[in-house]
Amino acid sequence: MDSARALSDARPTPFWLEDPGRPEALSALVGDTTCDLLVVGGGYSGLWTALIAKERDPGLDVVLVEGHEVGWAASGRNGGFCAASLTHGFGNGLQRWPAELAELERQGAANLQAIEDTVKRYGIDCEWERTGEIDVATQPHQLEELHEVAEAVARYGLDVTVLDADELRAQVNSPTFLGGIWDRDGVAMVHPAKLAWGLKAACLAQGVRIFERTRATELGEYGSGMAVRTPYGRVFARRVALGTNVFPSLVKRVRPYVVPVYDYALMTEPLTDAQLASIGWSGRQGLGDSANQFHYFRLSADNRILWGGYDAVYHYGGRVRGEYDQRPETFRTLAGNFLRCFPQLEGVRFSHAWGGAIDTCTRFSAFFDTAYRGRVAYAAGFTGLGVGATRFGAEVMLDLLAGERTERTSLEMVRSKPLPFPPEPVRWAGIEITKWSLDRSDRNGGHRNLWLRAMDRLGLGFDS
Ligand SMILES: Cc1cc2nc3c(=O)[nH]c(=O)nc-3n(C[C@H](O)[C@H](O)[C@H](O)COP(=O)(O)OP(=O)(O)OC[C@H]3O[C@@H](n4cnc5c(N)ncnc54)[C@H](O)[C@@H]3O)c2cc1C
């Protein structure tokens, strides 16, 4: 079947957000209110910040304002790979913070465990499965790179299982797989929207006041605290935490550090038992291939396959727009690549096709700071690996607002910032040249051209 025909009935909306368990939005803020801590943004960053603030100090008066609905943005539409890595993967961490990578990995593992513990503690039904992730090679040079990563991982005393082609295909059967490395413990699969909704319920149960459809439009000092304007009211807060991700930051100087990169995903219909048997996958791991332009794929609880990634799209001007969430040419490419990976699933149809904006920064892992003399904290730039790392970001924001030096705020990764992106049109041109070069590298045995090597030396990059 032509790949486009498999898409003909795909609903143009994130599979995860269509769930009957999607809660009603809470009322907007009308009038003025005061609080100790105002959290702006109702994705994982904001929800974790509000919840952990209450756990640290149950007496704290915490308000969260969300411009649309809790979990509607990246947090409700991602691949649901919840990783321990705080550095957008081990390789990126090794390149940038070799001296503290062991500590970053340790804190990342503790963060992932804390997420699992929270899910259990509050009884959050989010289809949590600690299956791990297998990074697969589909080209010989990728196999070499994966083995190098496995050796480096071992040097740091961490554990991954190297799989040859037969061992890998015994786990998940694709004729394109040449081998892989399986991180058994460092990644969990989750229903992303149910995690966001569960965190919302936990926040409410702890006494956080949540206002949805309440966009913060202005931020300014007010007495010894801050004032935030919303469409129908104002919030006066001692401290403010910004978990606004890819959306324009209320602290304007943060904006050049983050660009919206659109990432796309397809969801198949539920597989039949025979279809599932043809690919195996009884371990239900998350998978990712190892090209610069990579796919990520996993099973849902009802045995659909989510197939996403590959085509990371930046639009000139860097706006976040609903119309960018649909991109038929990318869906068609994804559908074709899906069938090349799993030819035995010829005839399977896609039920959903969607996209969303990722907050890419030039070092691919989040950065953190304060503004307004320590009264406002922010965390942004999680790039494509924020499902787990946003909880760490929440802890960092609360540490910074408390003015505390902790194991987190002592990290070089936390104290340093990425290089900002240049203004347009240089930004767009630079990203396009980088994307073109990455594509050529994938087709050319992984060879990095002069441009990519120069970018590597500067510590600059483009990823999703
Ligand atoms: C298609 C896709 C797939 C992905 N897959 C993965 C994956 O598998 N694993 C992984 O780790 N990461 C993945 N990511 C990234 C991950 O989803 C994000 O890093 C994470 O969800 C970021 O959470 P957040 O709370 O910071 O941002 P968001 O979820 O975007 O939440 C920010 C919220 O702030 C609100 N807001 C913004 N401005 C204001 C304002 N002024 N006033 C009030 N509210 C405001 C927005 O409405 C929004 O709800 C993916 C992302 C996408 C788009």
Side-chain angles (χ1 to χ4, degrees), residues 192 310 455:
Y310 188 74
M455 299 275 286

Side-chain angles (χ1 to χ4, degrees), residues 41 43-45 66-67 72 74-75 78-81 216 244-245 296 384-387:
Y44 302 138
S45 289
E66 160 53 46
W72 76 278
S75 298
N78 61 70
F81 285 58
T244 53
N245 193 30
Y296 53 89
L385 210 65
V387 175

Side-chain angles (χ1 to χ4, degrees), residues 122-433:
Y122 292 96
I124 296 176
D125 169 20
C126 59
E127 298 163 14
W128 182 267
E129 296 181 77
R130 191 79 173 256
T131 59
E133 177 177 341
I134 306 179
D135 289 334
V136 305
T138 55
Q139 290 187 32
H141 75 272
Q142 294 170 3
L143 206 52
E144 276 170 41
E145 284 161 18
L146 281 186
H147 287 154
E148 281 166 22
V149 171
E151 280 166 24
V153 166
R155 280 201 300 279
Y156 278 80
L158 305 165
D159 193 27
V160 290
T161 308
V162 178
L163 303 171
D164 66 22
D166 288 341
E167 289 164 336
L168 175 54
R169 289 179 199 175
Q171 291 292 332
V172 186
N173 184 18
S174 162
T176 64
F177 292 173
L178 304 180
I181 53 176
W182 182 5
D183 176 359
R184 290 170 184 266
D185 196 45
V187 185
M189 296 297 112
V190 68
H191 184 306
K194 286 188 179 176
L195 176 60
W197 299 331
L199 289 172
K200 172 183 174 181
C203 282
L204 291 171
Q206 296 309 302
V208 176
R209 290 183 286 144
I210 298 181
F211 299 97
E212 292 177 84
R213 297 170 187 153
T214 302
R215 197 163 79 85
T217 52
E218 249 181 76
L219 173 74
E221 286 182 312
Y222 186 84
S224 60
M226 300 298 298
V228 169
R229 196 172 281 280
T230 69
Y232 306 123
R234 286 176 303 177
V235 186
F236 300 98
R238 264 191 337 103
R239 296 285 180 266
V240 177
L242 301 178
T244 53
N245 193 30
V246 73
F247 301 89
S249 178
L250 290 163
V251 177
K252 288 200 176 62
R253 65 169 186 268
V254 182
R255 295 182 186 177
Y257 289 94
V258 170
V259 298
V261 170
Y262 278 79
D263 186 53
Y264 296 90
L266 304 176
M267 190 66 112
T268 69
E269 306 165 315
L271 302 187
T272 62
D273 290 347
Q275 285 167 336
L276 195 55
S278 74
I279 45 172
W281 217 340
S282 58
R284 301 180 58 80
Q285 306 91 337
L287 267 74
D289 56 34
S290 312
N292 290 310
Q293 294 181 292
F294 63 94
H295 300 94
Y296 53 89
F297 37 117
R298 57 162 292 188
L299 292 168
S300 66
D302 60 351
N303 291 331
R304 298 161 188 267
I305 298 179
L306 178 146
W307 177 262
Y310 188 74
D311 210 3
V313 179
Y314 173 73
H315 295 273
Y316 185 91
R319 305 263 187 302
V320 181
R321 288 206 175 123
E323 71 207 59
Y324 296 152
D325 292 352
Q326 288 294 305
R327 196 162 192 269
E329 61 267 50
T330 296
F331 296 145
R332 191 178 196 140
T333 304
L334 281 173
N337 293 352
F338 173 81
L339 267 193
R340 265 186 289 285
C341 184
F342 294 123
Q344 62 273 52
L345 295 182
E346 170 83 48
V348 166
R349 299 178 67 79
F350 297 101
S351 60
H352 296 76
W354 71 94
I358 278 175
D359 61 332
T360 292
C361 70
T362 55
R363 69 181 201 185
F364 318 142
S365 41
F367 57 92
F368 320 85
D369 208 347
T370 57
Y372 294 98
R373 289 173 284 155
R375 299 174 197 184
V376 175
Y378 59 84
F382 293 94
T383 313
L385 210 65
V387 175
T390 41
R391 185 192 171 282
F392 174 85
E395 295 252 33
V396 172
M397 284 197 276
L398 292 171
D399 293 349
L400 291 174
L401 288 175
E404 280 171 11
R405 192 169 172 95
T406 64
E407 62 173 17
R408 290 171 289 271
T409 58
S410 308
L411 292 166
E412 173 62 18
M413 191 268 259
V414 170
R415 286 187 287 118
S416 63
K417 281 226 189 57
L419 286 169
F421 288 93
E424 300 288 19
V426 179
R427 174 184 298 191
W428 182 83
I431 290 174
E432 286 303 302
I433 297 170

